[in-house]
Amino acid sequence: MDCGIITSKTVLLLLNIIFWAAGGALAYVGSYVIKSYNNFDNFLEDKYTLIPAAIIITVGVVMFIIGTVGCCATLRESKVGLSFFLMILLAMFAAEVAALVFAFIYQGRIKGDLEQSMSDVFQKYDGENSETRAVDYLQSQLQCCGVQTYMNWTTTPWFSSSNNTVPISCCKRNNTECTGKLDQPDLLNTQGCEVKLEQLLQDVMSYAMLVILGFAIIKFFGMLSVCVITCKSGRRTGYQALYV
């Protein structure tokens, strides 16, 4: 058997094994991105930022299916099967490139999306509504207080209605003496939440982009291997016909 075909078959079989593992990995990454955004969806008005995550999950599900198709087509050197496999790889490669472009675009829009929406949500804080729960979760998880700084709370209705205090979620962890008074800055998280949330979302998007890029590169080499097997098989079949 031609060395090129053996090498290409080996690459494709390894690629199909990677598909099965990667399908689960992509589904996890997509779910992680969606979960990260859902935790802070009150502060994000642009829901299109979830498009890359939806594409990733869809590609992950498809990868489970084509892994089996790819194995059968590779072992049998079926031109029809390999052609179908090549089209699927090409479609997935295009989808991943699209997801990468979307992720890159929305990564640059995160800051602008957060700036106004966070201010609006903090202004609606009243200690009971859904905005309150979102703000408390944000401040306790990221260990921050206010939008740009803890002093931002002084311009909110909550501050004047709560005896000039900030929410308890602004207090540092495991600190039972904190009452939310501004004269206790050493007991409060003084850094604003906008910078921390922006960094978190940027990190999540960067992580997703690296995963997408990695699998896109794998698909590219997979397509090359399919082309090699198809071309070599065609030539070999042609040579055999000359001896008939």
Side-chain angles (χ1 to χ4, degrees), residues 1 7 11 27 51 54 56 71 109 121 145 153 161 185 194 199 211 226 238:
M1 185 179 290
T7 303
V11 170
I51 290 179
I56 293 173
C71 278
R109 295 175 57 176
V121 173
C145 185
W153 278 106
S161 65
E194 182 184 343
Q199 186 59 53
V211 171
V226 171

Side-chain angles (χ1 to χ4, degrees), residues 100-181:
L100 191 63
V101 172
F102 272 117
F104 181 78
I105 292 174
Y106 290 118
Q107 189 179 38
R109 295 175 57 176
I110 289 175
K111 181 176 177 61
D113 188 25
L114 286 178
E115 192 169 350
Q116 183 58 46
S117 59
M118 285 188 71
S119 297
D120 293 341
V121 173
F122 274 71
Q123 287 292 328
K124 296 176 182 177
Y125 188 98
D126 65 2
E128 296 179 356
N129 57 17
S130 60
E131 285 80 5
T132 295
R133 292 188 291 272
V135 170
D136 285 338
Y137 179 83
L138 173 71
Q139 294 189 148
S140 60
Q141 288 295 311
L142 301 186
Q143 291 294 281
C144 57
C145 185
V147 181
Q148 284 87 23
T149 172
Y150 75 110
M151 292 301 293
N152 291 143
W153 278 106
T154 60
T155 62
T156 64
W158 165 264
F159 187 76
S160 56
S161 65
S162 61
N163 197 25
N164 295 339
T165 61
V166 298
I168 297 300
S169 57
C170 281
C171 297
K172 293 180 179 179
R173 286 178 180 170
N174 304 321
N175 196 316
T176 58
E177 298 179 2
C178 180
T179 60
K181 290 285 187 179

